[in-house]
Amino acid sequence: MKNNLLKKKSRLNFIQKIISKDLKNKKCDYIQTRFPPEPNGFLHIGHAKSIHLNFSVAKKYDGICNLRFDDTNPKKENAEYIDIIKSNIKWLGFKWKKIYFTSQNFEKIYQYAIKLIQKNLAYVDQLSKEEIKQYRGTLSTPGRNSPFRNQTIQENLILFEKMKSGYFSEGSACLRAKIDMSSPFIIMRDPVLYRIMFIEHHQTKKKWCIYPLYDFSHCISDALEGVTHSLCTLEFQENRELYNWILKNIDSINKPMQYEYSRLNLEYSILSKRKLSILVEKKIVSGWDDPRMPTISGLKKRGYTPNSIQDFCNRIGFTKKEHYIELDLLENCIRNDLNKSTPRSMAVINPIKLIISNIPENYKENIFIPYHPKNHSMGTNKITLSKEIYIDKSDFSEYYIPGYKRLILGKKVKLRYSLVIKAVEIKKDKNEKINSIICICTNLKNKTGIEEFNGIIHWISNKDALPAKFFLYDRIFNVKFPELKNNFLNYINNKSLIIKNGFVNKNVLKNKNFSTYQFEREGYFLLNKSKTDNKKLKFNRIVSLKQKWKK
Ligand code: ATP
Ligand code: MG
């Protein structure tokens, strides 16, 4: 764990420094940012970083942050994603001023394309996609001019009109900017501005069969909306050349400034909508909102809180350095948040029966425990001690294990908040499987003096035990950097979900205020509101109590 990440950062980050300077130098007199998702999948934790940056920067400088759907590729987009993205941003705790769609500006963007043709700065190319690629050249060799590059302005205007009216088939023509086929920036070698797609758009329906590319529409949308700082991830660094070229040549009055920061990479995760959608399509997960997914919806369903995600974004900070963030950091953020607000209770996930032979059959002793060790206003939980209780299978061993701090046959252990017991006998079934453990208690109420015992274990009495299903979630991948592998599908952790049948304290049904619990020694769990077929309660494990992923 990088200790400096654990200390909250309060200094200005490099983006804030740039903005302060831009304001000081009168490059702008207000601040406006935008979060610009493509509605082609669910948002992931990487997007949370971008949301956090755009909204918090606007807030810091009394500016505006809008939400803009960059909806220029109807092949991949879906109106359903728009609603999810909006609700995710609200859930994270951010409020946009306005919602824009790039598609609202299709007519204006089209007129700007015509303007570029009229300035002899764009042409209709009829090379195939493959040929365009070949003509582009490489980092060490310049590109070649397309044979269509020297068409007259008039010819280009007619051809572009034909593109718009559906004359050409998909892929047989496109509009390209006329810049420089030998530019050291490959992006500047006559980039494609418009392509043909005979696909109904979720917003504009059948109105268009030509769609602007991201590079053309993004800067124009920023300018039309009055964005001052267009913040994006580092892979767009080279695109900045083109961003500025387009704004200059369409004679835009507004000149938003693009600045780049490093994207979030997270260990054991994949942060790419395209790759995440493969996990969904191949049914490796139950959906985009599966609690193992690094999506905002998945994290929410798992039991993460908006606070914990904001805290995470604050701690990782914003820099230009590409690196991986440890999963421990994200998990520590949710632990820190839940630790403050979550009631404690006991649950037994892998139950085994334990009978205390020397207490009477109907013995019942109420024990009152504060729900939170520090926050007593959360109230008190009542648990019952009885003759028959459940403990976790992993807390018992028939044989001596050095250093084992739990119950061993012939040794003593303390039941949390209650008695010290000694295991005296094991009952097994005909298959030699342990049925129950017989114990005697060695410090019934009236006994004084301190007893020696091996350790303290959690338990639940059969009087309190309510059957529950536990969904123990783990990382989807079993390697730290699945994103760097050729085929990430070869590294799926097939134990990423283990379902167990155990018991919780029946009081969870009474506490309508609490849906998250810290089950002592087990972790933080979220009560899943949907019940199983046989009406059993379901609990998602949000996170264990301790860091697991050692280096
Ligand atoms: P993906 O590769 O997952 O599809 P994307 O960049 O295509 O991501 P967009 O919907 O275009 O997804 O992203 C909206 C904004 O979020 C962009 O400004 C993008 O730079 C930013 N963003 C996307 N992924 C990350 C990330 N991992 N870390 C930080 N910001 C990100
Ligand atoms: Mg994108």
Side-chain angles (χ1 to χ4, degrees), residues 36-38 40 47 214 235-236 273:
E38 286 173 68
N40 60 357
H47 293 113
Y214 169 88
E235 64 268 25
F236 294 102
K273 280 179 281 181

Side-chain angles (χ1 to χ4, degrees), residues 34-51 53-54 68 70 85 214 218 230-236 261-266 270-276 288 316 318 483:
R34 82 290 169 267
F35 173 63
E38 286 173 68
N40 60 357
F42 278 45
L43 298 181
H44 51 63
I45 181 95
H47 293 113
K49 175 174 176 175
S50 172
I51 293 170
L53 177 66
N54 280 292
R68 179 202 319 138
D70 241 335
I85 291 173
Y214 169 88
H218 197 82
S230 180
L231 310 175
C232 61
T233 36
L234 278 174
E235 64 268 25
F236 294 102
Y261 60 93
S262 60
R263 53 179 279 120
L264 169 67
N265 299 308
L266 186 64
I270 268 179
L271 299 184
S272 144
K273 280 179 281 181
R274 189 182 61 76
K275 288 182 182 166
L276 289 173
W288 282 96
I316 55 180
F318 297 92
E483 245 159 2

Side-chain angles (χ1 to χ4, degrees), residues 106 397 458 530:
F106 276 171
S397 172
H458 64 281
S530 63

Side-chain angles (χ1 to χ4, degrees), residues 365-383:
E365 179 187 333
N366 291 333
I367 304 168
F368 296 90
I369 308 154
Y371 269 121
H372 195 282
K374 290 192 181 142
N375 182 357
H376 290 192
S377 68
M378 283 171 79
T380 312
N381 192 12
K382 188 189 90 180
I383 62 171

Side-chain angles (χ1 to χ4, degrees), residues 384-447:
T384 321
L385 175 70
S386 60
K387 189 176 178 72
E388 208 175 299
I389 65 171
Y390 296 102
I391 66 164
D392 201 275
K393 273 185 195 144
S394 63
D395 280 339
F396 175 72
S397 172
E398 193 176 346
Y399 308 103
Y400 176 74
I401 307 171
Y404 186 72
K405 293 263 180 248
R406 307 172 202 181
L407 185 61
I408 300 174
L409 193 58
K411 301 268 177 211
K412 290 179 192 174
V413 84
K414 182 173 161 58
L415 299 175
R416 180 93 163 122
Y417 306 115
S418 185
L419 306 171
V420 173
I421 53 167
K422 180 179 175 181
V424 290
E425 191 191 341
I426 332 172
K427 294 252 188 273
K428 293 187 177 175
D429 63 16
K430 56 180 188 301
N431 300 321
E432 287 298 290
K433 225 179 109 206
I434 301 178
N435 236 338
S436 55
I437 307 160
I438 311 295
C439 290
I440 50 168
C441 69
T442 60
N443 69 339
L444 262 178
K445 261 180 155 182
N446 53 2
K447 189 154 182 216

Side-chain angles (χ1 to χ4, degrees), residues 40-154:
N40 60 357
F42 278 45
L43 298 181
H44 51 63
I45 181 95
H47 293 113
K49 175 174 176 175
S50 172
I51 293 170
H52 186 82
L53 177 66
N54 280 292
F55 281 91
S56 59
V57 152
K59 190 168 173 207
K60 184 170 176 65
Y61 294 92
D62 284 329
I64 289 172
C65 181
N66 292 319
L67 169 61
R68 179 202 319 138
F69 289 100
D70 241 335
D71 53 346
T72 56
N73 187 358
K75 255 187 199 154
K76 298 214 170 128
E77 294 160 12
N78 184 332
E80 180 208 338
Y81 295 135
I82 294 174
D83 296 335
I84 301 283
I85 291 173
K86 288 201 279 194
S87 79
N88 281 169
I89 300 172
K90 280 192 210 155
W91 179 77
L92 283 173
F94 298 103
K95 278 198 193 115
W96 54 83
K97 178 96 178 169
K98 284 189 182 160
I99 296 189
Y100 290 106
F101 288 82
T102 298
S103 55
Q104 288 167 330
N105 290 326
F106 276 171
E107 182 59 39
K108 287 184 182 149
I109 298 171
Y110 172 72
Q111 293 303 334
Y112 283 128
I114 290 181
K115 185 167 188 169
L116 289 183
I117 298 175
Q118 284 166 340
K119 288 176 134 190
N120 201 14
L121 290 175
Y123 61 100
V124 172
D125 199 356
Q126 291 179 64
L127 287 182
S128 68
K129 208 172 162 187
E130 204 37 54
E131 286 167 324
I132 291 181
K133 211 166 142 195
Q134 281 164 11
Y135 274 64
R136 190 166 285 137
T138 63
L139 277 176
S140 52
T141 54
R144 280 180 293 143
N145 284 350
S146 158
F148 300 92
R149 202 176 197 259
N150 287 329
Q151 282 156 182
T152 64
I153 292 173
Q154 206 47 40

